[in-house]
């Protein structure tokens, strides 16, 4: 809970991480490859970036010719067939390092491909799953390729250890968790963050802001995660309201750095009910997670305010004087940014709500929601947001 002292028992672990931002940031990728003795790095990215030869010249120069292949077939929500194609590219390139260049789906696809390549088992055997005793994550012991990242959007996925693979036609995702797939080095370069469409920058920023609040109310929150998430929430909120908008290069860089901080904090605190629902609905309706979260978060926080009011104490990080006003303040911000206000606005049918609620209960993120909700409560929340 926010503001509480550490209890009599607990732990905090921090993986090695270097983050550099600015015009010289790509040099950190080359330095990391040199330190680790890697010579055959595969870039994992999406089709639009794959055609940008100017960007690859910049990266290859910084990496001193160590980029030996580009896999440019990533798709939104990291579908399994794209991940498996990336696994084949890793083998064909004789890859000894991975550089993920893009937004959240690129980061997730690269990590998932890293896991499947190393473990050499079907994804179902590697995925976190729910049992009668709770969620179980298989231990993934095989050594993994070192990961480096160049984000193009303000995604929280850049510094995380979790990955989630989807299958068209199936609402549930395959969630994979391996700390060895965390990015060792992250470079936020102005030429790369300038490539993302403004709509994508907004949806990724919304996701980062929503995830910051979900982390702050998580049952796994602690003083370390709070420190990152309170600052991330403050910065993201302020940046989204800047008068110059999301096209300014400096704003995009700052958003990306704040999102990395949000991702780092939620890697410790985990997600929550809004995240689980956004994962399910976003994949099912091919809508960006951040757009779905912005619809749902005020309703999630209303639930928390009613049953666990102390967990909204972080509201002061956004200058909100009373915690019970947090849901309304965030809803006002989202409407100011022009995001959809109801689930029906993004094509969700009322008759689909029960199935979506049921599918979300199998998402690992729901396990850290305060007062673990049941299916009936989740369905009621979805109906309120519809």
């Amino acid at each position: 809970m926010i503001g509480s002292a550490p209890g009599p028992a607990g732990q905090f672990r921090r993986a090695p991480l270097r983050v550099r931002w600015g015009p010289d940031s790509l040099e950190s990728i080359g330095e990391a490859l040199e330190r680790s003795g890697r010579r055959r790095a595969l870039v994992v990215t999406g089709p639009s970036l794959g055609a940008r030869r100017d960007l690859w010249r910049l990266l290859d120069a910084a990496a001193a010719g160590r980029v030996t292949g580009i896999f440019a077939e990533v798709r939104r929500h990291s579908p399994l067939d794209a991940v498996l194609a990336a696994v084949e590219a890793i083998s064909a390139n004789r890859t000894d390092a991975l550089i993920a260049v893009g937004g959240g789906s690129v980061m997730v696809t690269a990590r998932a491909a890293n896991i499947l390549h190393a473990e050499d088992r079907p994804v179902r055997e590697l995925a976190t799953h729910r049992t009668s005793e709770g969620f179980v994550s298989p231990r993934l012991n095989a050594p993994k390729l070192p990961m480096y990242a160049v984000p193009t959007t303000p995604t929280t996925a850049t510094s995380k250890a979790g990955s989630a693979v989807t299958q068209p036609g199936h609402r549930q995702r395959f969630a994979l968790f391996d700390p060895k797939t965390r990015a060792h080095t992250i470079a936020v370069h102005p030429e790369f963050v300038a490539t993302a469409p403004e709509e994508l920058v907004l949806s990724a920023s919304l996701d980062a802001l929503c995830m910051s609040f979900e982390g702050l109310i998580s049952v796994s929150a602690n003083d370390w995660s709070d420190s990152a998430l309170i600052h991330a929430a403050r910065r993201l909120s302020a940046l989204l309201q800047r008068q110059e908008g999301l096209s300014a290069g400096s704003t995009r860089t700052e958003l990306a750095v704040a999102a990395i901080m949000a991702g780092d904090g939620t890697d410790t605190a985990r997600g929550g009910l809004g995240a689980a629902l956004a994962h399910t609905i976003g994949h099912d309706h091919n809508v960006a997670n951040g757009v779905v979260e912005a619809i749902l978060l005020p309703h999630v926080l209303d639930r928390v305010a009613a049953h666990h009011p102390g967990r909204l104490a972080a509201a002061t990080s956004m200058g909100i004087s009373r915690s019970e006003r947090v849901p309304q303040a965030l809803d006002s911000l989202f409407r100011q940014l022009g995001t959809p206000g109801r689930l029906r606005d993004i094509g969700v049918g009322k008759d689909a709500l029960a199935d979506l609620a049921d599918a979300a209960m199998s998402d690992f993120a729901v396990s850290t929601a305060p007062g673990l909700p049941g299916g009936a409560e989740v369905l009621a929340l979805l109906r309120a947001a519809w």
Side-chain angles (χ1 to χ4, degrees), residues 303-325:
R303 171 185 176 270
V304 173
H307 302 292
H308 311 276
R311 291 196 176 275
L312 288 186
T316 53
S317 69
M318 285 182 61
I320 303 168
S321 59
R322 294 174 58 183
S323 61
E324 64 267 24
R325 294 177 179 162

Side-chain angles (χ1 to χ4, degrees), residues 137-174:
S137 293
R139 188 172 293 277
L140 308 179
N141 292 319
K144 305 301 184 297
L145 298 173
M147 299 277 302
Y148 311 100
V150 183
T152 58
T153 69
T155 173
T156 60
T158 308
S159 61
K160 286 182 172 292
S163 307
V165 176
T166 63
Q167 279 190 295
H170 296 268
R171 284 185 167 134
Q172 294 180 349
R173 309 182 310 159
F174 296 115

Side-chain angles (χ1 to χ4, degrees), residues 240-256:
L240 282 168
Q241 297 177 80
R242 272 192 178 174
Q243 190 170 4
E244 59 265 37
L246 301 181
S247 60
S250 60
T251 299
R252 289 189 172 207
T253 296
E254 291 181 71
L255 282 167

Side-chain angles (χ1 to χ4, degrees), residues 102-158:
S105 294
V106 166
M107 305 298 165
V108 169
T109 296
R111 282 197 297 268
N114 198 357
I115 290 171
L116 292 179
H117 174 263
E119 298 290 341
D120 195 25
R121 286 185 283 157
V123 66
R124 286 186 180 276
E125 295 182 15
L126 307 172
T128 299
H129 54 279
R130 190 167 192 170
T131 69
S132 58
E133 298 180 355
F135 286 91
V136 176
S137 293
R139 188 172 293 277
L140 308 179
N141 292 319
K144 305 301 184 297
L145 298 173
M147 299 277 302
Y148 311 100
V150 183
T152 58
T153 69
T155 173
T156 60
T158 308

Side-chain angles (χ1 to χ4, degrees), residues 17-22 25 102-104 107 149-160 186-196 200-209 212 228 231-233 235-240 242 245-246 248-265:
L17 174 64
R18 289 180 172 85
V19 182
R20 188 186 297 183
W21 55 94
S25 58
M107 305 298 165
V150 183
T152 58
T153 69
T155 173
T156 60
T158 308
S159 61
K160 286 182 172 292
I186 300 171
V188 183
H189 191 277
E191 297 278 352
F192 285 80
V193 295
T195 63
L200 188 54
V201 175
L202 175 59
S203 64
S205 300
L206 289 171
D207 186 56
L209 178 60
S212 296
H231 185 69
R235 292 295 299 138
L236 289 161
S237 174
L239 289 165
L240 282 168
R242 272 192 178 174
L246 301 181
S250 60
T251 299
R252 289 189 172 207
T253 296
E254 291 181 71
L255 282 167
V257 172
I260 292 168
M261 189 175 297
D264 204 42

Side-chain angles (χ1 to χ4, degrees), residues 34-383:
E34 174 65 26
R35 280 194 307 271
S36 61
R38 306 291 164 162
R39 292 292 182 270
R40 299 192 60 83
L42 176 71
V43 167
V44 177
T45 192
S48 60
L49 283 176
R52 291 289 302 270
R53 296 184 180 275
D54 56 326
L55 298 180
W56 306 129
R57 283 194 292 268
L58 281 174
L59 181 57
D60 194 49
R66 295 182 181 89
V67 174
T68 57
I70 298 177
F71 173 81
E73 300 174 31
V74 172
R75 303 201 308 276
R76 179 187 272 187
H77 298 303
S78 305
L80 180 58
D81 61 334
V83 173
L84 293 174
V87 172
E88 293 180 6
I90 290 172
S91 297
N93 187 63
R94 305 196 312 279
T95 302
D96 62 9
L98 291 171
I99 306 175
V101 181
S105 294
V106 166
M107 305 298 165
V108 169
T109 296
R111 282 197 297 268
N114 198 357
I115 290 171
L116 292 179
H117 174 263
E119 298 290 341
D120 195 25
R121 286 185 283 157
V123 66
R124 286 186 180 276
E125 295 182 15
L126 307 172
T128 299
H129 54 279
R130 190 167 192 170
T131 69
S132 58
E133 298 180 355
F135 286 91
V136 176
S137 293
R139 188 172 293 277
L140 308 179
N141 292 319
K144 305 301 184 297
L145 298 173
M147 299 277 302
Y148 311 100
V150 183
T152 58
T153 69
T155 173
T156 60
T158 308
S159 61
K160 286 182 172 292
S163 307
V165 176
T166 63
Q167 279 190 295
H170 296 268
R171 284 185 167 134
Q172 294 180 349
R173 309 182 310 159
F174 296 115
L176 308 170
F177 180 79
D178 191 337
K180 298 186 292 300
T181 63
R182 283 191 177 97
H184 297 189
T185 299
I186 300 171
V188 183
H189 191 277
E191 297 278 352
F192 285 80
V193 295
T195 63
E198 193 164 317
E199 178 184 0
L200 188 54
V201 175
L202 175 59
S203 64
S205 300
L206 289 171
D207 186 56
L209 178 60
C210 292
M211 288 298 295
S212 296
F213 273 89
E214 289 252 71
L216 287 166
I217 63 174
S218 165
V219 297
S220 297
N222 56 53
D223 287 351
W224 281 274
S225 62
D226 288 350
S227 63
L229 294 172
I230 289 172
H231 185 69
R234 180 189 297 120
R235 292 295 299 138
L236 289 161
S237 174
L239 289 165
L240 282 168
Q241 297 177 80
R242 272 192 178 174
Q243 190 170 4
E244 59 265 37
L246 301 181
S247 60
S250 60
T251 299
R252 289 189 172 207
T253 296
E254 291 181 71
L255 282 167
V257 172
I260 292 168
M261 189 175 297
D264 204 42
T266 53
D267 207 33
T268 299
R270 307 299 181 198
L273 177 56
L277 288 167
H279 294 159
T280 303
I281 296 170
H283 163 52
D284 193 68
H285 287 74
N286 196 30
V287 179
N289 288 347
V291 173
V292 184
E293 276 245 58
I295 295 171
L296 295 172
L297 184 63
H299 298 275
V300 171
L301 295 182
D302 272 335
R303 171 185 176 270
V304 173
H307 302 292
H308 311 276
R311 291 196 176 275
L312 288 186
T316 53
S317 69
M318 285 182 61
I320 303 168
S321 59
R322 294 174 58 183
S323 61
E324 64 267 24
R325 294 177 179 162
V326 179
Q328 293 81 0
L330 284 171
D331 187 62
S332 176
L333 171 60
F334 298 149
R335 299 296 77 74
Q336 175 189 331
L337 295 169
T339 61
R342 315 293 300 179
L343 290 175
R344 65 175 74 104
D345 298 336
I346 58 172
V348 178
K350 195 171 185 178
D351 57 351
L353 298 181
D355 287 343
L356 291 169
D358 183 62
M361 295 303 293
S362 296
D363 190 290
F364 178 71
V366 79
S367 66
T368 49
L372 184 63
E377 187 178 5
V378 176
L379 179 57
L381 186 149
L382 288 178
R383 285 173 173 162

